[in-house]
């Protein structure tokens, strides 16, 4: 048993003192992921946040209110609604002295949009028989901002539509009772609704509350950086790919030592052949364990990736290691000499990695058939396990995936071990 461990540790020392092996096992996956990560902006500091200037909007309020109804000022209410602090992150609203000035601001490029509140807006907002239209004047090249502003205006206008509906409902109810409701009664109904609408956003302490809450990213405590969420699947794909690569690369040492004659000399020693091959195979497992651990820990601190619940992460990592080791040993058992190892490492692993979705997992809205097709190769099962872990799955949630990883890995290992054993008999 000690000889088996000695052989495994010898191969591990050779791997982690080799610059190429270190670069491919640790440097390459972190570098590739880092390039993609920093392409979208790094870290989570205040200086790294993307800053988008709010759209400048000019508001021309031509409404004069309704003096006969306790001076209802629907136009001023709309202006106050638009100038709430919660909207300042996306739009900046400024008053214009006239409709002409507001339109000129858009035409000259000093503002992106204009809101024109017409005369009689208060009267039309409260009386069922009156109509008035708020005009949105915009730069024709804009697409997103006008849609947001239109939604805000519709949200506000829906409230006054309720006032009209309340007057109509009250009138219908009076009519059913055989009572004639004059304009003063209906006005009082709409007045009551308007008062409720104006104060309905106040809290219990009397402080004004927002009718619309805009929650910019980064303000909530415990929030996960969106870029860290994006980079997690990318790093998972790189981890799976390079674990499979290192498994095959480590198994290649059997072919190399066979060509150099050192393996034949080992077979002449009193050590049993199965112990020698077993030591080589154990070296592959131990190398992958160290590689996986370093990648998971370093990517967590560098990119802020939350891999999931600790128990789930350990189980998926273990299953990934068994699968990658078994697959690497199996494909190398078919290689006859070191000249064939290049096409196997560069070709077979790249093709199966692509089929397994390791390079497309960061792309949203992929066709469903691609998600199913990736389970035709072992890398797809490994990637599925990491996706479950990143999503916060518990150990019980990944049992089926874990059994598939370990089952396939052991099957590959047994087949590869049998083929290597027959080869050297």
């Amino acid at each position: 048993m000690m000889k088996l461990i000695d052989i495994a540790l010898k191969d591990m020392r050779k791997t982690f003192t080799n610059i190429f092996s270190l670069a491919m096992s640790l440097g390459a996956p972190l570098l590739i992921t880092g390039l993609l990560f920093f392409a979208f902006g790094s870290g989570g500091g205040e200086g790294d946040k993307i800053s988008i200037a709010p759209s400048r909007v000019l508001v021309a309020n031509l409404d004069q209110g309704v003096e006969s109804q306790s001076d209802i000022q629907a136009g001023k209410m709309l202006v106050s609604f638009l100038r709430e602090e919660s909207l300042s992150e996306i739009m900046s609203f400024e008053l214009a002295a006239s409709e002409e000035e507001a339109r000129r601001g858009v035409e000259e490029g000093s503002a992106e949009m204009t809101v024109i509140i017409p005369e009689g807006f208060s009267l039309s907002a409260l009386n069922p028989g009156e109509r008035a239209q708020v005009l949105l004047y915009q730069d024709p090249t804009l697409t997103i901002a006008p849609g947001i502003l239109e939604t805000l205006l519709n949200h506000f206008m829906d409230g006054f539509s309720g006032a009209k509906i309340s007057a109509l409902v009250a009138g219908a109810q009076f009519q059913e009772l055989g009572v004639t409701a004059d304009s003063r009664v209906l006005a009082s109904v709409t007045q009551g609704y308007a008062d409720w609408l104006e104060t309905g956003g106040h809290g219990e302490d009397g402080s004004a509350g927002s009718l619309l809450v805009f929650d910019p990213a980064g303000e909530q405590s415990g929030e996960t950086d969106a870029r860290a969420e994006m980079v997690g699947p990318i790093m998972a794909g790189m981890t799976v790919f390079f674990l499979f690569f290192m498994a095959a690369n480590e198994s290649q040492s059997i072919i190399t030592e066979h060509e150099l004659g050192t393996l034949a000399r080992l077979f002449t020693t009193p050590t049993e052949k199965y112990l020698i091959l077993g030591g080589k195979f154990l070296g592959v497992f131990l190398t992958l364990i160290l590689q996986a651990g370093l990648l998971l820990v370093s990517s967590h601190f560098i990119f802020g990736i939350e891999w999931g619940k600790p128990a789930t992460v350990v189980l998926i990592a273990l299953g990934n290691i068994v699968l990658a080791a078994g697959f690497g040993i199996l494909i190398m058992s078919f290689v006859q000499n070191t000249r064939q190892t290049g096409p196997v490492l560069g070709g077979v692993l790249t093709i199966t990695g692509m089929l397994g979705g390791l390079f497309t997992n960061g792309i949203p809205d992929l066709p469903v058939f691609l998600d199913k097709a990736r389970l035709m190769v072992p890398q797809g099962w490994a990637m599925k396990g990491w996706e479950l872990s990143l999503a916060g799955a518990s150990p019980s949630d990944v049992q089926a995936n874990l059994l598939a990883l370990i089952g396939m890995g052991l099957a590959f290992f047994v087949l590869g071990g049998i083929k290597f054993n027959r080869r050297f008999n």
Side-chain angles (χ1 to χ4, degrees), residues 6 11 38 72 75 111 205 211 225 263 301 336 369 389 415 417:
D6 288 340
D11 284 356
F38 290 109
I72 292 296
D205 60 353
L211 294 176
D225 194 306
L263 190 62
F301 287 105
Q336 299 301 316
F369 77 89
S389 181
L415 293 174

Side-chain angles (χ1 to χ4, degrees), residues 376-389:
M376 296 171 60
V377 294
Q379 287 92 329
W381 286 92
M383 191 64 221
K384 182 179 179 181
W386 285 119
E387 288 173 352
L388 290 172
S389 181

